[in-house]
Amino acid sequence: MGAAFLSSWPWENLGAYKYVLYAPLVGKAVAGRAWERSSPDHWILLLLLLFGARAFTYQLWSSFSNMLFATRRRRIVRDGVDFHQIDKEWDWDNFLILQVHMAAAAMYAFPSSLRHLPAWDATGLAVAAAVHVIATEPLFYAAHRAFHRRGFLFSTYHSLHHSAKVPQPFTAGLATPLEQLVMGALVALPLAAACAAGHGSVGLAFVYVLGFDHLRAMGHCNVEVFPYHTIHHTKKESNFCLFMPLFDLIGGTLDAQSWELQRKTSAGVDEVPEFVFLAHVVDVMQSLHVPFVLRTFASRPFSVQLFLLPMWPFAFLVMLMMWAWSKTFVISCYRLRGRLHQMWAVPRYGFHYFLPFAKDGINKQIELAILRADKMGVKVVSLAALNKNEALNGGGTLFVNKHPDLRVRVVHGNTLTAAVILNEIPKGTTEVFMTGATSKLGRAIALYLCRKKVRVMMLTLSTERFQKIQREAAAEDQQFLVQVTKYRSAQHCKTWIVGKWLSPREQRWAPPGTHFHQFVVPPILGFRRDCTYGKLAAMHLPKDVQGLGACEYSLERGVVHACHAGGVVHFLEGYTHHEVGAIDVDRIDVVWEAALRHGLRPV
């Protein structure tokens, strides 16, 4: 049995190629030199500008809706937007393609009255406003109730719109062609009336249509000034109006709890997370990979895209402003076992961590974030990547020693990171080569492997640091730790554990078939086609995670860095100790088994 009439988009299988549907209008505009005011095709340029502005309006509201650092206290539905909803709303702008062609058809049908409108006519605005109140609002109310009252109409058409768990500006575009045709006609009605009365204008089209989109996006943004439409999305049998509750009041469908919910959201009560992952920005391009910039882009693993290049200057300016004035802020959230988890970002970029004069400022930001979490009642703060750098703060030791009465547990997550790397090494391996061998992770991995009788070639020029680690091993295991000072020592070893950046020249010493396991930040680039490269240590979050809708850097969906996962395990296990400084090798297997027991899975 085929799909019901106008219940699916005819171009839904085209993906991004659907934008070719704008080609006839763009081609006509170019051929007719539409940018010249005297051109008979000038109206096409205005039409394309209007619909571009419409798309930008929804994008701006989407950005605002996902600015948790600014909106979290006034959000009505407190859950995060998950990948499933983001994918469902991926083609939210289908209605713009439909309606731009509806508008173009009207222009061709009535060329004499629509193609030569004045720039502005104030009387037309009054006519359009009157028709909106008298016709558009009650007709929308009636049509909306009809889509809800009749089982067939709701299940076949309107249920798609209500399948979004968390209202978002893009949810306004999540509807079937039939519904968007009705909406397009209702939007056109006041404009048509103004034109019929001889008071139509180009300015009126922009003001009314963009004002309409502004109110629709605001109504779906989950941070409404008045939580009217969100109640409709949660209860479905009340608050049917477009923008005017008057008709709900007349029709007896105004929800009595609208005022109480308004009072609660106005109070701005913050929900306290129980776990926080304290991250930092990698670079200027990666700073665009967050839900409040481009939600759909952030829901996919990060990669540099051409459409990002025009945004780079703005992102660079934001970086400078953050460096000067910003404090740690909330990026995203999800729930696990009913508990709220949040990701906070220290407003520093990767290169900042390698500037000697920036060290104190970075530690101050991290310290203030930990103290804020402690005051709020957060149970665990997990430090990401460079935020736990040994040279920066001793893997978090600085903060724990400075504030011995902390109730929040500070965790570097390196125990699980070591466990992930160790469990990636194939069973039966007898020899490995390691760079960054005397770091916290390198030390733990080397000591663990020597217990398993695996020969570890530790690349380091410091005999003192090597011998210090070697003395930590049992007497019978010390022989398996070998200091090497040159990369050529590993020219026959096919298992490299990389904790320090490798240049192409250094990688050439690895024999064909080598696999590079990594814990270096940022990860090395894969120059060797005859070798394989592992990604940074990571794990899948448990399957019952809810509201997760952003990817961590280049990791796939649902996967987080091992230091993030380590903090989650620390929280789920209810550990009461801090995990800072050196890694307790005896706990590597304990933490790994705990992670598996709680449903975290290796990548």
Side-chain angles (χ1 to χ4, degrees):
M1 184 177 178
F5 179 65
L6 292 179
S7 64
S8 61
W9 296 95
W11 54 78
E12 65 182 12
N13 294 322
L14 293 181
Y17 292 107
K18 70 181 182 181
Y19 296 111
V20 173
L21 295 171
Y22 284 106
L25 290 174
V26 173
K28 179 68 173 173
V30 172
R33 303 177 66 84
W35 52 88
E36 297 177 356
R37 296 187 64 85
S38 59
S39 170
D41 294 320
H42 185 62
W43 64 271
I44 300 178
L45 176 63
L46 295 175
L47 193 63
L48 292 173
L49 289 175
L50 172 59
F51 277 79
R54 296 185 70 184
F56 190 58
T57 297
Y58 285 95
Q59 177 57 56
L60 286 179
W61 274 104
S62 175
S63 293
F64 170 74
S65 178
N66 287 286
M67 289 179 177
L68 299 187
F69 55 88
T71 65
R72 67 185 185 279
R73 292 183 178 89
R74 296 185 62 87
R75 296 174 76 228
I76 300 162
V77 179
R78 295 295 179 100
D79 296 329
V81 182
D82 61 22
F83 293 118
H84 179 70
Q85 178 173 339
I86 292 172
D87 287 345
K88 187 174 291 186
E89 294 174 354
W90 199 275
D91 292 313
W92 66 272
D93 58 345
N94 278 340
F95 78 98
L96 294 177
I97 297 176
L98 170 67
Q99 291 179 10
V100 76
H101 285 89
M102 291 173 64
M107 289 289 191
Y108 278 106
F110 306 100
S112 59
S113 57
L114 296 182
R115 293 193 189 181
H116 306 287
L117 295 173
W120 179 248
D121 186 331
T123 304
L125 180 61
V127 172
V131 174
H132 177 89
V133 173
I134 295 170
T136 296
E137 286 282 352
L139 287 173
F140 178 87
Y141 176 80
H144 198 178
R145 287 199 69 176
F147 275 110
H148 275 267
R149 276 183 173 175
R150 300 191 178 187
F152 172 76
L153 287 178
F154 183 82
S155 61
T156 307
Y157 297 97
H158 199 51
S159 61
L160 174 64
H161 182 68
H162 279 276
S163 64
K165 295 179 181 179
V166 182
Q168 291 274 285
F170 293 159
T171 308
L174 182 63
T176 59
L178 177 62
E179 294 170 280
Q180 297 294 10
L181 277 170
V182 172
M183 183 64 74
L186 293 176
V187 173
L189 191 57
L191 297 177
C195 290
H199 296 289
S201 67
V202 173
L204 174 62
F206 275 79
V207 169
Y208 178 76
V209 173
L210 293 180
F212 191 98
D213 288 330
H214 167 82
L215 292 173
R216 281 207 82 208
M218 183 179 71
H220 287 87
C221 78
N222 196 31
V223 197
E224 294 168 285
V225 175
F226 182 68
Y228 183 81
H229 194 70
T230 301
I231 291 178
H232 171 75
H233 270 263
T234 55
K235 296 189 176 181
K236 298 184 178 65
E237 295 303 325
S238 60
N239 296 9
F240 292 99
C241 275
L242 190 58
F243 310 131
M244 298 177 61
L246 170 65
F247 294 97
D248 272 307
L249 186 63
I250 295 172
T253 54
L254 182 64
D255 191 280
Q257 294 184 359
S258 299
W259 313 108
E260 177 63 19
L261 186 56
Q262 165 67 9
R263 185 187 65 80
K264 289 182 178 179
T265 55
S266 296
V269 178
D270 197 3
E271 184 178 4
V272 177
E274 298 194 53
F275 169 80
V276 167
F277 181 56
L278 189 59
H280 62 81
V281 188
V282 176
D283 54 39
V284 174
M285 277 296 193
Q286 189 270 333
S287 69
L288 302 171
H289 190 246
V290 287
F292 58 83
V293 177
L294 296 169
R295 190 191 74 173
T296 50
F297 177 57
S299 72
R300 296 288 179 91
F302 174 77
S303 61
V304 177
Q305 303 289 333
L306 288 177
F307 71 84
L308 296 176
L309 296 180
M311 302 173 68
W312 192 93
F314 175 74
F316 182 79
L317 178 62
V318 170
M319 182 271 292
L320 295 177
M321 295 171 63
M322 288 173 60
W323 192 359
W325 296 297
S326 183
K327 297 180 180 179
T328 299
F329 57 94
V330 184
I331 296 177
S332 60
C333 68
Y334 62 87
R335 292 184 188 275
L336 184 61
R337 316 280 155 82
R339 308 297 181 87
L340 178 63
H341 293 207
Q342 288 182 347
M343 179 184 288
W344 297 0
V346 174
R348 295 295 183 269
Y349 291 57
F351 75 91
H352 288 133
Y353 290 79
F354 300 96
L355 301 176
F357 61 84
K359 176 180 177 179
D360 291 342
I362 293 172
N363 277 330
K364 188 64 176 177
Q365 290 278 354
I366 298 172
E367 180 183 6
L368 290 175
I370 292 173
L371 293 177
R372 172 187 167 198
D374 189 62
K375 184 178 180 179
M376 292 172 63
V378 176
K379 293 182 178 178
V380 173
V381 171
S382 182
L383 304 178
L386 297 175
N387 284 336
K388 59 187 176 187
N389 185 275
E390 183 70 22
L392 183 68
N393 51 47
T397 305
L398 173 68
F399 313 115
V400 173
N401 291 343
K402 187 176 180 180
H403 302 282
D405 296 326
L406 285 174
R407 293 169 298 171
V408 66
R409 296 310 172 206
V410 181
V411 177
H412 56 40
N414 284 338
T415 307
L416 186 58
T417 302
V420 170
I421 295 170
L422 288 164
N423 280 276
E424 288 177 351
I425 298 173
K427 294 186 182 301
T429 298
T430 59
E431 183 180 59
V432 302
F433 172 71
M434 187 190 305
T435 67
T438 59
S439 64
K440 291 192 303 289
L441 270 169
R443 165 196 163 274
I445 292 169
L447 290 173
Y448 185 96
L449 287 174
C450 77
R451 292 181 182 182
K452 304 293 184 181
K453 314 306 178 187
V454 177
R455 184 171 183 263
V456 183
M457 291 184 285
M458 302 174 64
L459 180 69
T460 178
L461 296 176
S462 174
T463 301
E464 180 184 355
R465 295 182 69 177
F466 167 75
Q467 290 178 346
K468 182 180 178 182
I469 295 174
Q470 189 180 45
R471 285 194 294 268
E472 290 188 65
E476 64 273 17
D477 298 331
Q478 291 182 6
Q479 61 179 312
F480 294 100
L481 300 180
V482 180
Q483 181 186 8
V484 297
T485 58
K486 298 182 183 298
Y487 286 94
R488 68 177 62 186
S489 303
Q491 58 186 315
H492 301 297
C493 179
K494 292 188 176 182
T495 302
W496 285 38
I497 303 175
V498 183
K500 183 180 179 181
W501 178 262
L502 293 180
S503 67
R505 181 179 180 180
E506 291 162 343
Q507 290 183 38
R508 281 203 295 267
W509 286 107
T514 295
H515 182 77
F516 294 91
H517 303 270
Q518 303 192 58
F519 62 92
V520 59
V521 179
I524 63 173
L525 300 177
F527 294 104
R528 294 279 301 273
R529 293 187 177 183
D530 57 349
C531 298
T532 55
Y533 295 80
K535 294 185 178 180
L536 291 178
M539 295 194 79
H540 288 275
L541 285 174
K543 293 182 179 180
D544 57 339
V545 65
Q546 297 176 316
L548 182 64
C551 290
E552 278 192 17
Y553 196 41
S554 60
L555 300 179
E556 62 184 88
R557 288 179 166 187
V559 176
V560 297
H561 291 100
C563 52
H564 184 156
V568 171
V569 172
H570 202 94
F571 169 71
L572 293 175
E573 281 289 289
Y575 294 144
T576 58
H577 64 278
H578 297 291
E579 184 190 292
V580 295
I583 299 171
D584 184 350
V585 180
D586 293 330
R587 291 191 56 79
I588 291 177
D589 287 335
V590 174
V591 172
W592 176 253
E593 291 168 4
L596 299 180
R597 185 169 63 252
H598 284 290
L600 286 87
R601 295 161 290 131
V603 177

